Amino acid sequence: MIGGMSREGWINLAVLAGLLVVPLWALWADEPFTITLATRVVILALAAVGLNIALGLGGLVSLGHAVFFGIGGYAMGILAHHAQTYTSVMEWPLLIEGTKSMPVVWLVAVVASALAALVIGVLSLRTSGVYFIMITLAFGQMFFYFAISWSAYGGEDGLSIYVRNGFPGLNTLVPIQFFGLCFAILCAVLWLTARLMRSPFGLALNAARQVPVRVETVGLNPVRLKLVAFVISGAITGLAGALFADLNRFVSPTMFSWQFSGEIIILVILGGVGRLFGPVVGAAVFVVLEHWLGGLTEFWLIWLGVILLLIVLFARGGIVGMLAGRSVAHD
Amino acid sequence: MTEPVLETRGITKRFGALTASEDVSLDLKAGEIHAIIGPNGAGKSTLIQQICGLLHPDAGQVRLGGADVTRMAAAARARAGLGRTFQVSQLAMEDTVLQNVVLGALGAVGRPWRFFGAALRDAELRDRAEAALAQVGLCDVAAMRCADLSHGQRRQLEVAVALSLSPRAFVMDEPMAGLGAEGSKRMTGFLSELRGTAPILLVEHDMDAVFALADRISVLVYGRIIATGTVAEIRADRAVRDAYLGEEA
Ligand SMILES: Nc1ncnc2c1ncn2[C@@H]1O[C@H](COP(=O)(O)OP(=O)(O)OP(=O)(O)O)[C@@H](O)[C@H]1O
Ligand SMILES: [Mg+2]
């Protein structure tokens, strides 16, 4: 299989290796902050991998993906908050206790954000183009303001979680262990996404983005295909939100902000829309720029803007497209 | 008498003041090619859109295999056995030829909710797709991106996608458009055989092709059918000559 690997395959492998080597080096050099930065890259990449399924494969420009990120974050925040205050989330009609267990938090985050994506998708997919963008944006704002006014969970100030949630067999407080966990999740999701892209569903979705009318005339429903893509997409971004909250041990309404929705769109465009590793490369470049350029000048976003402009004008395939050329069909 | 495979009854469609279809009734019987001819803007494509469910008529019925499908969405009609080609190719340009036909096969098999196995490694889908490509003679370019195909190859691919559905009836909107003499001739030979597989409702401007292929012809002018008959009858029809054929006949 390795012998038949495409150029893009090698690039992807190199990206993964780089993402693994940097924090290991940081561990050896005793630079824990670099490990935290690498973890940030991995989690943002995961959020953007989720978005890429809607945006890159389904052609759905969602300016509301922060909703799912925020839901994932608040799923973690709320469950952990109750666990650390020894209160229950609700007592009636059934008793739900808080938890500090990551797997449980993840499950709740994924299910809750998938449900939200289903509802938002059903309503938004009645429209397309600019209207779709605006409806998803409106949902984002609704959740943002709701979170701000939800005083039970900190309102505008958000929630602080004192101790990172636990995972069986690991000490998640050790930065490299938490990094490893996030990295493993990213790899698993990338693997599943790669399968999805080649699957019958992926093929149909890909066509539904390009020529919905053709998809209809072979007897498939393009809107339903896009809806399922939107739900999968939201669930992955939601999972990333839960991890992000655990990374910072803090959740706040900014996780729901439209700026964050825009930010992960930027990650995807930077790296390459519709490319498996586009979001990963995009996240890495973004965090590196944010850290180094941001340290040099307060106006680093202008430079990000310039890079983005160049990519949109001259390299539609993003950084991955520039390095690997046009995407090729796999057998 | 056997039931027609495909039938319209009194289809009427208005766009504001313009009547694009007026009381159009026609049928397609097993084994035949029924050609629809008429000048530009006569309403041929609009009629096909209504037959396939992408436009809904203001009045009238579309029947497929004896069942009323007027209220069915386009996807449901495709599943019920309608295979269509477009006047302007509707293909996934970024995808390969094979992927485009596998999409048709996927529609025919009807199981798109599979997220793990590779579509191009699915024997059932692949066999179906490759059979359709072989029929139109596109096997050699199966791995090419659709965007890199010639115009003629794209027209063939349109037909291949419809073939991959194994439909009960074909509805083709100008399959020869832009093909050139050689291409038209090949397509004509191909369609002539295809009618044995399933009957074809054929909209076409290329009169040589129509006269060579059609078992029956309907002439559409300003949304109305002004004549239906065999090739000889239509060629002899005074009104048709005046309205459409002119010197050509
Ligand atoms: N969606 C629409 N809204 C308004 N008018 C339309 C619409 N679609 C088609 N028309 C008009 O209806 C008439 C019939 O158009 P149609 O495309 O069906 O003609 P046609 O017979 O296929 O022509 P051609 O031979 O050029 O393909 C034309 O006058 C066209 O402008
Ligand atoms: Mg037309």
Side-chain angles (χ1 to χ4, degrees):
Chain A
M1 192 58 215
I2 296 285
M5 208 157 81
S6 68
R7 183 146 156 211
E8 185 166 349
W10 286 110
I11 291 170
N12 294 347
L13 207 59
V15 170
L16 271 191
L19 209 47
L20 198 55
V21 164
V22 168
L24 287 177
W25 167 82
L27 181 67
W28 174 78
D30 196 21
E31 300 222 22
F33 182 65
T34 303
I35 301 179
T36 301
L37 273 188
T39 313
R40 194 175 145 78
V41 169
V42 167
I43 295 171
L44 289 180
L46 184 65
V49 167
L51 175 69
N52 201 26
I53 292 177
L55 177 68
L57 302 186
L60 302 170
V61 184
S62 163
L63 203 43
H65 256 54
V67 167
F68 314 123
F69 197 67
I71 286 177
Y74 271 82
M76 176 281 187
I78 290 171
L79 289 171
H81 169 75
H82 283 287
Q84 75 188 7
T85 55
Y86 302 102
T87 52
S88 47
V89 181
M90 63 158 103
E91 285 168 358
W92 192 90
L94 72 171
L95 180 69
I96 298 179
E97 303 274 10
T99 177
K100 296 285 288 176
S101 155
M102 281 191 189
V104 177
V105 167
W106 295 343
L107 185 69
V108 172
V110 165
V111 170
S113 45
L115 281 176
L118 180 66
V119 173
I120 294 176
V122 164
L123 296 171
S124 315
L125 278 165
R126 292 156 173 263
T127 66
S128 58
V130 168
Y131 296 101
F132 182 85
I133 299 176
M134 298 212 306
I135 290 192
T136 52
L137 175 63
F139 274 112
Q141 292 303 86
M142 267 173 52
F143 276 84
F144 177 70
Y145 287 111
F146 178 75
I148 281 186
S149 60
W150 202 7
S151 52
Y153 296 113
E156 211 165 344
D157 299 330
L159 283 172
S160 283
I161 304 305
Y162 306 129
V163 180
R164 190 171 281 156
N165 291 330
F167 188 89
L170 290 182
N171 181 357
T172 55
L173 294 174
V174 178
I176 195 74
Q177 294 202 20
F178 184 59
F179 169 85
L181 196 55
C182 294
F183 185 77
I185 291 176
L186 177 67
C187 289
V189 170
L190 281 170
W191 181 71
L192 290 172
T193 307
R195 302 290 306 249
L196 179 139
M197 286 166 94
R198 297 176 186 202
S199 71
F201 171 77
L203 183 117
L205 178 64
N206 200 28
R209 179 189 75 246
Q210 299 173 60
V211 271
V213 71
R214 161 59 69 201
V215 173
E216 261 185 287
T217 44
V218 300
L220 303 174
N221 183 332
V223 175
R224 210 168 291 165
L225 289 163
K226 288 178 185 175
L227 178 62
V228 171
F230 196 72
V231 170
I232 295 173
S233 168
I236 295 174
T237 303
L239 178 59
L243 293 173
F244 194 73
D246 245 327
L247 173 67
N248 302 324
R249 275 164 283 165
F250 176 65
V251 287
S252 78
T254 52
M255 284 184 81
F256 283 115
S257 70
W258 67 267
Q259 285 92 337
F260 183 76
S261 297
E263 199 172 296
I264 49 178
I265 293 181
I266 291 174
L267 302 187
V268 173
I269 296 175
L270 264 182
V273 178
R275 309 299 280 258
L276 181 61
F277 270 67
V280 183
V281 173
V285 170
F286 184 88
V287 170
V288 167
L289 284 179
E290 179 184 51
H291 188 61
W292 269 287
L293 273 181
L296 294 176
T297 159
E298 282 186 31
F299 302 112
W300 77 278
L301 280 168
I302 295 181
W303 294 106
L304 179 68
V306 170
I307 294 173
L308 208 58
L309 199 66
L310 289 175
I311 284 184
V312 171
L313 288 177
F314 302 111
R316 298 297 285 274
I319 297 171
V320 172
M322 241 168 356
L323 297 175
R326 251 170 17 185
S327 57
V328 286
H330 315 271
D331 261 274
Chain B
M1 242 212 61
T2 56
E3 185 90 43
V5 179
L6 181 65
E7 191 184 5
T8 70
R9 290 187 186 166
I11 282 203
T12 300
K13 178 78 191 175
R14 292 190 189 86
F15 296 120
L18 177 86
T19 304
S21 308
E22 189 177 346
D23 196 20
V24 177
S25 298
L26 54 78
D27 60 7
L28 180 68
K29 300 196 181 80
E32 78 167 344
I33 292 180
H34 186 158
I36 299 175
I37 61 173
N40 288 113
K44 305 180 295 293
S45 294
T46 305
L47 179 62
I48 287 198
Q49 293 289 79
Q50 295 173 86
I51 290 174
C52 296
L54 291 168
L55 268 180
H56 291 280
D58 298 328
Q61 258 192 18
V62 179
R63 303 176 69 86
L64 181 62
D68 184 358
V69 298
T70 317
R71 256 159 261 292
M72 270 190 196
R77 289 187 210 191
R79 288 195 296 273
L82 218 48
R84 85 164 285 190
T85 70
F86 290 84
Q87 181 171 356
V88 177
S89 296
Q90 299 287 337
L91 301 163
M93 287 296 169
E94 296 168 22
D95 293 355
T96 64
V97 170
L98 183 62
Q99 283 173 316
N100 270 276
V101 190
V102 165
L103 176 72
L106 187 57
V109 171
R111 284 184 284 117
W113 309 115
R114 286 177 289 157
F115 303 86
F116 295 104
L120 300 187
R121 293 226 183 109
D122 181 309
E124 188 184 8
L125 295 178
R126 189 141 184 161
D127 288 350
R128 222 175 221 283
E130 279 171 351
L133 284 178
Q135 253 184 294
V136 301
L138 281 182
C139 287
D140 296 345
V141 296
M144 252 167 91
R145 273 160 62 103
C146 202
D148 300 330
L149 293 183
S150 71
H151 175 79
Q153 288 170 320
R154 285 184 203 163
R155 301 308 296 166
Q156 285 169 286
L157 181 53
E158 275 278 322
V159 177
V161 177
L163 274 174
S164 71
L165 298 176
S166 317
R168 304 157 76 153
F170 290 100
V171 179
M172 300 193 179
D173 199 351
E174 304 201 27
M176 326 268 179
L179 273 192
E182 187 54 36
S184 283
K185 232 173 86 190
R186 239 183 313 131
M187 185 69 87
T188 304
F190 176 70
L191 293 186
S192 184
E193 279 179 32
L194 189 60
R195 86 183 96 189
T197 311
I200 306 172
L201 190 67
L202 176 71
V203 167
E204 190 47 68
H205 271 300
D206 180 335
M207 282 307 136
D208 292 335
V210 168
F211 290 147
L213 282 172
D215 299 293
R216 284 190 299 156
I217 299 176
S218 290
V219 185
L220 200 66
V221 178
Y222 294 122
R224 265 181 346 105
I225 292 188
I226 61 166
T228 297
T230 63
V231 172
E233 284 162 2
I234 293 298
R235 290 182 98 142
D237 192 298
R238 179 97 262 156
V240 174
R241 282 167 173 258
D242 291 347
Y244 182 52
L245 290 178
E247 352 275 64
E248 259 187 90

